[in-house]
Amino acid sequence: MAALLREGGEAMENEILSVKLRELEDAMGRLRSRIERSQTASRSERQAELDAVRRDCTEAEQTLRNRMQFSRSRFVRELTEACDELERAAKHAYGRVYTTRPEAEGEHPNAEESILLAEYALDFAMQAANRALALSLEAMNRQPEPSEREEPQ
């Protein structure tokens, strides 16, 4: 019975990774569609889409932050703190570039800089996806092989 529970637990853990992967795949499909639609949209349509994306991001970030904040895992709490530090550093860098120069007072990135920032954000997203894959494979490798499991006596 214990072996069956462990097998079921392993299947459940791998299933969770599969579900998360499908969620990521769906999200990337929506991202691609939104970018493609926005390329031919009017400025007002793009602005409405931007407003919707920002609302979605804020909501998703808050949900994730809440889940991470109340996690029992010390690692997850440390990761939450690291994410907060990264967010502060990014905002600080943006502020240094676009609000501390007298000639750039109140400025935002120009079109070329904005495209470059978007390009790098997509590169970072790909890197995050690759790291998620590596973490998933590591997690699966830490599970005992069927031959290594205890057999019921």
Side-chain angles (χ1 to χ4, degrees):
M1 181 70 161
L4 288 174
L5 288 175
R6 275 194 299 278
E7 282 183 35
E10 178 181 319
M12 170 120 18
E13 290 166 358
N14 288 338
E15 186 176 314
I16 289 169
L17 294 176
S18 294
V19 167
K20 286 294 185 182
L21 182 58
R22 280 192 296 278
E23 288 175 4
L24 178 61
E25 189 173 32
D26 291 346
M28 290 299 108
R30 286 189 305 274
L31 175 117
R32 181 182 179 142
S33 293
R34 285 172 124 169
I35 289 174
E36 288 173 352
R37 275 194 322 265
S38 294
Q39 289 175 341
T40 58
S42 68
R43 184 177 301 272
S44 63
E45 290 170 326
R46 282 194 304 269
Q47 185 61 50
E49 181 72 9
L50 176 58
D51 294 342
V53 167
R54 285 181 173 157
R55 280 191 306 275
D56 291 348
C57 284
T58 298
E59 183 179 307
E61 182 178 338
Q62 189 58 46
T63 299
L64 178 59
R65 193 171 297 281
N66 288 340
R67 284 185 17 225
M68 291 174 73
Q69 180 182 5
F70 297 111
S71 174
R72 292 176 287 164
S73 168
R74 181 172 176 244
F75 174 76
V76 171
R77 288 191 308 271
E78 290 289 327
L79 183 60
T80 301
E81 197 172 301
C83 288
D84 290 343
E85 288 175 27
L86 182 59
E87 184 70 27
R88 283 191 299 273
K91 286 179 181 177
H92 180 70
Y94 185 90
R96 278 197 332 257
V97 171
Y98 293 105
T99 59
T100 58
R101 299 183 324 209
E103 71 275 10
E105 190 66 35
E107 277 189 29
H108 296 284
N110 63 32
E112 185 178 325
E113 290 172 322
S114 293
I115 292 291
L116 186 61
L117 287 171
E119 180 184 347
Y120 277 110
L122 291 168
D123 288 341
F124 288 136
M126 180 58 73
Q127 187 65 16
N130 286 331
R131 287 191 178 160
L133 170 61
L135 288 169
S136 298
L137 293 172
E138 287 174 10
M140 287 183 238
N141 280 341
R142 288 191 176 102
Q143 296 173 344
E145 293 291 325
S147 61
E148 298 171 336
R149 294 188 191 111
E150 294 178 24
E151 293 298 319
Q153 297 181 15

